[in-house]
Amino acid sequence: GESVGLHLPTLSVQEGDNSIINCAYSNSASDYFIWYKQESGKGPQFIIDIRSNMDKRQGQRVTVLLNKTVKHLSLQIAATQPGDSAVYFCAENKNFGNEKLTFGTGTRLTIIP
Amino acid sequence: DSGVTQTPKHLITATGQRVTLRCSPRSGDLSVYWYQQSLDQGLQFLIQYYNGEERAKGNILERFSAQQFPDLHSELNLSSLELGDSALYFCASSARPSGNTIYFGEGSWLTVV
């Protein structure tokens, strides 16, 4: 069945350093991937997305890398700040669709001051 | 603030009871999604509506039902509640049923005792 998983459930990074959060997916038909950030007591917040015809996309302080060969997705956060502390989820779907987004289990990122 | 409004924020009810969760999508968004987030299952897609019509269905129990009204707000009805239904229920919305970002509300925290 379809599944999206994360390599590490927790990650601690020194403030100012870069962080990398990884995600593995199993559905080779997935062509759309999204990263969400969820802070305590809040709903998931869209960070960045990428389509399968790309292998890299950059946003403000964030970069998503997609390796379709090994079905791996990563989120890089540059110059981490305390406000980056949250749980990060990857999600995947087909046809650039929003329907039935499949979410990973999440990685808790803690920024150490 | 994502613009998606959910009520109530917290709800405690007994097993066997029925509750209704309400969602107002972002202004102009026609598509509404319901997700369940529990500790053991993560974020699970339940159901999606677009402009009043059911668009996609996920792992939604038969005891659960939803609808989207002409004013585009949506309600998720949970009946014959069980302890295992305790979870965060998120509503999300997007302008169209696919191809664009979905925005999550802050969630309704349901505790069944």
Side-chain angles (χ1 to χ4, degrees), chain B:
Chain B
D1 183 5
S2 67
V4 179
T5 305
Q6 290 186 248
T7 56
K9 293 192 186 307
H10 298 92
L11 187 58
I12 301 175
T13 190
T15 54
Q17 295 298 305
R18 172 190 170 95
V19 298
T20 297
L21 309 180
R22 182 187 169 99
C23 169
S24 294
R26 291 190 324 149
S27 177
D29 283 0
L30 299 178
S31 196
V32 168
Y33 312 77
W34 286 98
Y35 280 81
Q36 180 193 58
Q37 186 175 38
S38 60
L39 287 175
D40 57 344
Q41 293 290 322
L43 266 164
Q44 299 283 322
F45 169 75
L46 295 178
I47 198 164
Q48 177 195 6
Y49 280 83
Y50 174 68
N51 206 18
E53 299 291 324
E54 184 182 302
R55 172 89 175 184
K57 216 167 188 176
N59 299 321
I60 187 167
L61 299 171
E62 286 190 10
R63 300 183 286 109
F64 297 179
S65 64
Q67 55 185 323
Q68 186 179 28
F69 295 88
D71 67 352
L72 301 176
H73 90 271
S74 178
E75 292 181 354
L76 179 66
N77 301 296
L78 314 174
S79 61
S80 302
L81 285 167
E82 302 174 359
L83 295 178
D85 298 327
S86 295
L88 252 177
Y89 291 85
F90 286 107
C91 174
S93 75
S94 65
R96 297 182 301 277
S98 63
N100 57 316
T101 304
I102 68 172
Y103 296 89
F104 283 78
E106 302 284 88
S108 291
W109 184 255
L110 173 66
T111 302
V112 182
V113 298

